[in-house]
Amino acid sequence: TATQKIADNKPETPASKIFNAARLLNDVQTLAADEMQGRWVGTTGGVKAREYVLKRFKESGLQPIGSSYLQPFEFAARNGDKLGGANVLGYIKGRKNPEKYIVVSAHYDHV
């Protein structure tokens, strides 16, 4: 039936669960809070921010790319120290074309 076809084509994650203006504003306010210490790589606040983003990705039903949501990276700080961090990536399958997807990324580690 037509109803069954519509039900079969529902996305795994409803857009309203991810793209909710009030929820997104709360996320930005949480990540911008002083306790996140600017979210700088290598700080306790940066780790807290990453954990918060991971929790929100999972709650939103985003799927990890590969076996993990985390995409580690390393860079040299201005003083020459090597710092390691991780961006957070997930995806949403397409509704009409499940072989296509939208990647959602959180490059959250900025002062």
Side-chain angles (χ1 to χ4, degrees):
T1 68
T3 305
Q4 183 61 39
K5 285 183 182 179
I6 291 170
D8 290 345
N9 288 328
K10 282 187 179 177
E12 290 181 11
T13 304
S16 62
K17 192 172 182 183
I18 299 169
F19 302 111
N20 174 294
R23 182 67 221 184
L24 288 172
L25 178 59
N26 185 23
D27 290 341
V28 169
Q29 290 170 331
T30 299
L31 291 168
D34 289 343
E35 70 183 63
M36 296 295 182
Q37 302 173 323
R39 303 169 310 280
W40 187 247
V41 175
T43 66
T44 303
V47 172
K48 285 172 90 171
R50 180 174 58 231
E51 293 301 318
Y52 180 81
V53 171
L54 278 169
K55 179 182 89 148
R56 290 293 298 126
F57 270 43
K58 291 174 184 177
E59 288 172 356
S60 296
L62 294 170
Q63 300 301 305
I65 295 178
S67 61
S68 175
Y69 292 96
L70 299 179
Q71 301 296 312
F73 64 89
E74 188 176 274
F75 70 98
R78 290 185 179 129
N79 66 3
D81 289 347
K82 296 256 181 183
L83 295 174
N87 289 321
V88 184
L89 296 173
Y91 73 94
I92 305 166
K93 282 187 178 183
R95 183 180 359 191
K96 292 182 182 178
N97 300 302
E99 72 282 359
K100 295 182 180 181
Y101 48 89
I102 296 171
V103 173
V104 179
S105 65
H107 188 87
Y108 58 91
D109 52 352
H110 283 63
V111 174

